[in-house]
């Protein structure tokens, strides 16, 4: 119940802030006022407790079998889909609400095939500051806060986490391609036996398309 209240509060807060700024026409310049976007990114992380579980599974499964080891049991990569909506509160300041779905996939094949997925669902608020580099393109730096809901098998955890971000915007008329590198700090306690922490901290390299 407490987690749901935090989730609702974050969504209401981000929506109200975006609506307030969208009504203040006086501070707009020639930037496109409001936008909607979708994006994809590749993440690099090292969820220690999850990887300990995968290593134990790997060792237990090959025990007693005369098999060769190929690859590694650890999970180091994740894939993220993002949708966002926001507004330019000035020519150089962008504020947006986002929702992300991430999955860290792992397939282990020994005497059969086993799939493991480390999931997260994350709403949040991001503010970006644009630094002009040419008439049509610019650099950006920014950051924000996300509320992460994570799940691996039967273990679940939720936590707020900050994000730092840098990138480059390429403008095509009213469309924007945003290339970015971001760093997340995410760690939540499961309050369960077996896996105590779910950690999604790491780097994200991605691309957003804004319309």
């Amino acid at each position: 119940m407490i987690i749901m209240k935090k989730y609702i509060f974050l969504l209401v807060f981000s929506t109200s802030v975006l609506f307030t700024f969208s009504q203040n026409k006086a501070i707009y310049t020639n930037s496109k006022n409001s936008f909607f976007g979708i994006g994809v990114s590749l993440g690099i992380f090292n969820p220690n407790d999850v990887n300990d579980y995968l290593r134990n599974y790997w060792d237990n499964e090959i025990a007693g079998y005369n098999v060769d080891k190929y690859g590694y049991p650890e999970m180091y990569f994740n894939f993220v889909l993002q949708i966002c909506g926001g507004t330019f509160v000035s020519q150089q300041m962008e504020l947006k609400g986002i929702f992300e779905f991430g999955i860290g996939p792992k397939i282990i094949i020994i005497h059969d095939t086993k799939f493991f997925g480390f999931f997260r669902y994350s709403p949040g608020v991001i503010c970006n500051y644009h630094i002009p580099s040419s008439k049509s393109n610019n650099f950006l730096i920014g950051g924000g806060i996300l509320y992460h809901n994570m799940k691996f098998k039967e273990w679940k955890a939720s936590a707020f986490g900050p994000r730092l971000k840098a990138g480059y915007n390429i403008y095509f008329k009213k469309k924007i391609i945003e290339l970015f590198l971001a760093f997340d700090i995410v760690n939540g306690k499961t309050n369960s036996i077996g896996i105590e922490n779910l950690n999604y901290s790491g780097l994200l390299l991605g691309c957003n398309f804004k319309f």
Side-chain angles (χ1 to χ4, degrees):
M1 189 65 180
I2 295 176
I3 293 175
M4 183 59 67
K5 288 182 179 179
K6 290 180 179 179
Y7 179 82
I8 294 173
F9 171 78
L10 185 59
L11 288 178
V12 171
F13 173 76
S14 59
T15 302
S16 62
V17 170
L18 290 173
F19 178 79
T20 300
F21 278 119
S22 67
Q23 303 307 304
N24 191 356
K25 302 297 184 180
I27 59 176
Y28 287 143
T29 58
N30 294 326
S31 297
K32 188 175 184 295
N33 291 352
S34 300
F35 60 86
F36 171 80
I38 58 175
V40 294
S41 57
L42 170 67
I44 301 174
F45 68 162
N46 183 16
N48 292 325
D49 285 21
V50 170
N51 281 337
D52 285 344
Y53 177 94
L54 294 174
R55 280 188 288 266
N56 289 334
Y57 174 85
W58 172 281
D59 293 338
N60 291 335
E61 285 295 301
I62 66 173
Y65 289 90
N66 184 20
V67 297
D68 294 326
K69 291 184 178 181
Y70 295 97
Y72 51 87
E74 293 84 4
M75 182 184 295
Y76 293 122
F77 299 98
N78 62 80
F79 303 93
V80 179
L81 298 177
Q82 180 190 113
I83 59 173
C84 68
T87 186
F88 284 88
V89 299
S90 71
Q91 188 175 22
Q92 292 177 277
M93 188 72 70
E94 166 199 340
L95 185 66
K96 65 180 181 179
I98 68 172
F99 183 85
E100 292 183 342
F101 168 74
I103 177 174
K106 189 66 186 182
I107 298 176
I108 296 178
I109 303 175
I110 300 177
H111 50 82
D112 60 1
T113 301
K114 185 71 172 179
F115 173 80
F116 297 92
F118 185 14
F119 303 93
R120 74 169 172 89
Y121 309 88
S122 309
V125 180
I126 301 291
C127 182
N128 293 324
Y129 184 78
H130 297 253
I131 305 170
S133 62
S134 68
K135 291 183 178 180
S136 58
N137 305 325
N138 57 51
F139 293 98
L140 68 88
I141 56 173
I145 187 79
L146 288 84
Y147 186 68
H148 302 277
N149 302 277
M150 297 169 285
K151 183 178 187 296
F152 177 75
K153 292 180 69 65
E154 67 267 29
W155 292 280
K156 298 179 181 181
S158 299
F160 284 99
R163 169 173 295 178
L164 299 176
K165 181 178 177 182
Y168 191 74
N169 281 323
I170 303 172
Y171 289 80
F172 295 96
K173 295 183 178 180
K174 294 184 177 182
K175 298 179 177 63
I176 305 171
I177 297 178
E178 176 191 292
L179 307 175
F180 69 88
L181 178 67
F183 179 70
D184 285 326
I185 300 176
V186 189
N187 188 61
K189 293 189 177 297
T190 64
N191 297 317
S192 301
I193 299 174
I195 293 181
E196 296 182 356
N197 296 284
L198 293 180
N199 192 312
Y200 235 98
S201 299
L203 292 173
L204 283 175
L205 178 64
C207 179
N208 289 329
F209 301 90
K210 303 174 187 176
F211 309 94

